[in-house]
Amino acid sequence: MDEGTGEDAAGAASPLGALADLAGSWLARSAATPERHTGAVAADRFDRIAWRDTYEQAPALRELAAELGERHPHADDLLTDAFLAAYKAAPRLREPTGMAPSRLVNHRIVTALLESPDFAELHRETVGDPYAAAMAVLAQGTALRRMLDDSRPARDLDDRTALTGRDAEDAADAVAEALRQAADGADADEEGSVPGPAADAVRQAVEDAEDAARRAASDAARSLAVALPGVRAAARGAVAKSAAAAREEAALMRAWGVGSGELERMPFDERARLAERLRAGRLAEWAELIGRFRQMADGERARKVENATGELIGVTLGDDLSRVIPSELANLGLPELRAVFAARYAAGELMLYDSQGEQASGRGAVIACVDTSHSMYEAGPGGITREAWAKACALALLDQARHAGRDFVGIVFSAADKLRVFRFPADAPADLTRTLDFAETFLGGGTSYQRPLSAAGELLEAEFNDAARTRGDIVMLTDDDCGVTEAWMRGWNDAKRRLGFRVFGVGIGAPRVAAAGSVLAALCDNLRCVEDFTDVHAAADLFRVI
């Protein structure tokens, strides 16, 4: 055969341009491979900042990440995705084809979480709230661990896919290197002719790269088609559990009067401690009752009419312009009688409608005296204790005072030597820790009326001396009757006349305490007995007149 023939035979020289076209066309196809992401949920810089800040503040998140990371690579990316799915207003999943093969298991798990029936309910509680989103992730921890354990076979296939993908990338690099070497050896005198061996190397590199790419594509297709057994059921359980936890915590916060704005300003660890405290013991048991009390009190405030006259029973004399009868007002229409009206007004001799019933609201402090003797542990209908009903009523009275701009004082008492006072000034925010301390305090022992009522009277006396405010309101919440001395009773009545305060009594689960002739009846201007502790409306009239 002539040496000048057979240009396509092995070992023959080839033009550099043709080789460049061959290799360049393949390299262009290889470069068109989409970017591989490690996160299943698309996130911007601010989302990532929220996650990092929350992760740094939450030791429990770091512990979960360390535990999962010991057995499952890339578990930290899964926790990030689970957090972002709960936190972002409109979480968007990336396409599986754009994911790094090693993160496809994470993508499948997060997809199952987002598709769970309860996810929308969970998302309502967690969207835009880093703390709530982190708590959702922690609540899902056990299920995430199980899903990762069950995904080992799929992850092994994903790892093989990742290896073949890297082989394809290495083959593409080999094509580029072979082309570079061919270009270096091209004969410039013969229009870029490349020696046969170098040309063959380029062709072989392209063939090897195409084979590697086909294997990678085939492995990727198998990996994408893999379904994780049981992942949907596990995800449904995880989301349902976290939704229930988020709903319970939100209800606890609302019941205790913690607003969303206050929660957002609260540091992560402080909020976590608060949630733990509210979930523990009696406070969690009382949340539903407290919520109902506050809802009832809100309704009564909406119906409340300041300075309501009550039932009209006749005509009296005075200077209350809100109760002047029409015939007196008619005098204002006649210029010659206006001076007479003014004189009668100055003398307090205008004819007014007389009434009985609800009195005008007070302006001094609201003081709730809560009996915490041993008998207050006794439970009534619905398993609600006497203490729970009394504390829930007292906390609603705290709200009442805050709405009216009045000071509130909680006095927890039992025997004569056991008393604790919790002050909540109207001009300062109600400290939540102090509110919880007030609610949790239980002294035990017997019951003494004189000690708490004397303390309440002294507080109203001090308020009168400092700010000249009168018309305070004292609410006595007790289940026991006890005697008072004659001398103390005379001093008590003198203080009532001088300071103009009112005393409301509630006999809790003990009708005899509120019976006619009882000591509490002699002390109180307004008295009632509560036997059904599930009924918060038994105290509704308190919130109309206090």
Side-chain angles (χ1 to χ4, degrees):
M1 180 181 295
D2 191 287
E3 293 181 2
T5 62
E7 292 180 356
D8 294 333
S14 298
L16 178 60
L19 290 174
D21 289 342
L22 172 65
S25 174
W26 191 89
L27 287 172
R29 295 198 305 273
S30 176
T33 303
E35 179 186 0
R36 300 298 183 180
H37 296 283
T38 58
V41 179
D44 58 27
R45 179 167 60 93
F46 300 103
D47 297 329
R48 290 188 289 272
I49 290 173
W51 163 247
R52 285 197 301 269
D53 289 347
T54 304
Y55 186 81
E56 290 171 1
Q57 296 177 57
L61 275 181
R62 298 196 296 274
E63 291 171 6
L64 178 60
E67 178 190 348
L68 297 180
E70 290 177 357
R71 302 168 60 188
H72 306 286
H74 318 306
D76 52 344
D77 289 330
L78 175 59
L79 294 185
T80 304
D81 284 331
F83 172 86
L84 293 174
Y87 174 73
K88 287 176 64 65
R92 179 178 64 83
L93 281 177
R94 301 186 190 278
E95 291 297 325
T97 53
M99 294 293 297
S102 59
R103 308 305 200 280
L104 283 174
V105 164
N106 292 357
H107 190 281
R108 296 184 187 98
I109 291 174
V110 177
T111 299
L113 293 175
L114 288 170
E115 292 176 349
S116 298
D118 293 313
F119 181 79
E121 180 182 358
L122 170 65
H123 195 239
R124 282 194 296 271
E125 301 292 349
T126 60
V127 60
D129 187 340
Y131 170 87
M135 292 300 104
V137 174
L138 292 173
Q140 295 165 6
T142 301
L144 292 175
R145 187 183 304 110
R146 184 169 65 252
M147 287 188 280
L148 285 171
D149 286 341
D150 293 343
S151 69
R152 286 184 182 277
R155 192 170 66 251
D156 291 342
L157 177 58
D158 293 341
D159 290 342
R160 288 196 298 272
T161 301
L163 289 175
T164 56
R166 284 194 290 272
D167 290 343
E169 292 171 1
D170 292 342
D173 293 339
V175 171
E177 177 62 21
L179 182 60
R180 185 189 65 77
Q181 292 179 4
D184 289 345
D187 189 348
D189 294 337
E190 297 184 13
E191 298 180 355
S193 177
V194 177
D200 291 343
V202 173
R203 295 189 187 95
Q204 186 61 48
V206 170
E207 291 177 4
D208 292 344
E210 289 178 340
D211 288 342
R214 281 193 292 272
R215 290 195 302 274
S218 176
D219 286 349
R222 287 198 298 273
S223 182
L224 291 171
V226 168
L228 300 183
V231 68
R232 291 186 181 278
R236 283 196 298 271
V239 172
K241 179 181 178 181
S242 55
R247 185 171 58 251
E248 177 186 355
E249 183 165 316
L252 274 175
M253 296 296 180
R254 285 193 294 269
W256 286 94
V258 186
S260 57
E262 184 178 357
L263 289 175
E264 290 173 4
R265 294 188 299 271
M266 197 176 294
F268 188 97
D269 55 347
E270 181 181 342
R271 185 170 171 183
R273 287 195 300 271
L274 171 62
E276 182 60 30
R277 185 176 183 183
L278 292 181
R279 282 193 295 266
R282 295 179 297 161
L283 296 185
E285 297 173 4
W286 297 349
E288 192 271 339
L289 177 64
I290 292 169
R292 287 195 290 119
F293 247 107
R294 282 183 157 147
Q295 185 178 12
M296 177 272 292
D298 282 342
E300 294 303 320
R301 274 194 295 273
R303 297 170 51 199
K304 185 175 181 180
V305 178
E306 295 292 342
N307 301 316
T309 55
E311 179 186 0
L312 297 177
I313 58 172
V315 176
T316 186
L317 299 179
D319 58 1
D320 187 349
L321 296 178
S322 67
R323 296 160 52 201
V324 175
I325 67 174
S327 60
E328 287 278 24
L329 290 175
N331 292 334
L332 288 176
L334 300 173
E336 59 273 19
L337 293 181
R338 287 175 187 169
V340 175
F341 182 92
R344 289 166 63 83
Y345 172 66
E349 295 179 351
L350 293 173
M351 287 190 291
L352 312 176
Y353 284 120
D354 196 9
S355 64
Q356 67 179 10
E358 298 175 352
Q359 303 176 46
S361 298
R363 287 295 177 266
V366 177
I367 302 177
C369 298
V370 182
D371 186 355
T372 59
S373 59
H374 284 309
S375 57
M376 291 290 284
Y377 266 135
E378 186 174 331
I384 299 172
T385 65
R386 297 175 177 182
E387 179 200 9
W389 196 96
K391 293 284 181 65
C393 183
L395 290 172
L397 288 169
L398 168 59
D399 287 351
Q400 188 83 353
R402 306 301 294 181
H403 278 84
R406 301 170 66 183
D407 291 350
F408 176 83
V409 181
I411 297 178
V412 179
F413 73 93
S414 58
D417 60 341
K418 294 183 178 181
L419 185 89
R420 284 196 64 185
V421 177
F422 299 85
R423 301 189 184 206
F424 299 86
D427 58 358
D431 182 73
L432 181 59
T433 300
R434 192 156 183 77
T435 302
L436 295 178
D437 289 342
F438 168 52
E440 287 183 319
T441 298
F442 192 91
L443 302 177
T447 303
S448 167
Y449 284 177
Q450 289 187 194
R451 179 78 189 281
L453 289 175
S454 293
E458 290 167 4
L459 288 167
L460 294 176
E461 181 87 43
E463 183 181 39
F464 174 75
N465 293 335
D466 293 342
R469 282 199 297 268
T470 58
R471 293 169 56 198
D473 291 309
I474 299 173
V475 181
M476 190 75 168
L477 299 147
T478 183
D479 71 339
D480 201 2
D481 198 16
C482 68
V484 296
T485 67
E486 184 178 343
W488 181 90
M489 194 68 177
R490 282 198 297 270
W492 175 253
N493 289 331
D494 288 343
K496 280 188 68 178
R497 283 191 296 270
R498 185 173 68 257
L499 301 175
F501 61 79
R502 300 174 297 181
V503 183
F504 299 84
V506 184
I508 304 175
R512 61 180 176 78
V513 173
S518 67
V519 174
L520 194 62
L523 290 170
C524 296
D525 305 298
N526 181 305
L527 181 63
R528 84 288 325 278
C529 180
V530 176
E531 296 185 73
D532 182 0
F533 300 158
T534 64
D535 180 17
V536 299
H537 293 279
D541 65 311
L542 291 178
F543 299 93
R544 288 195 297 270
V545 297
I546 291 180

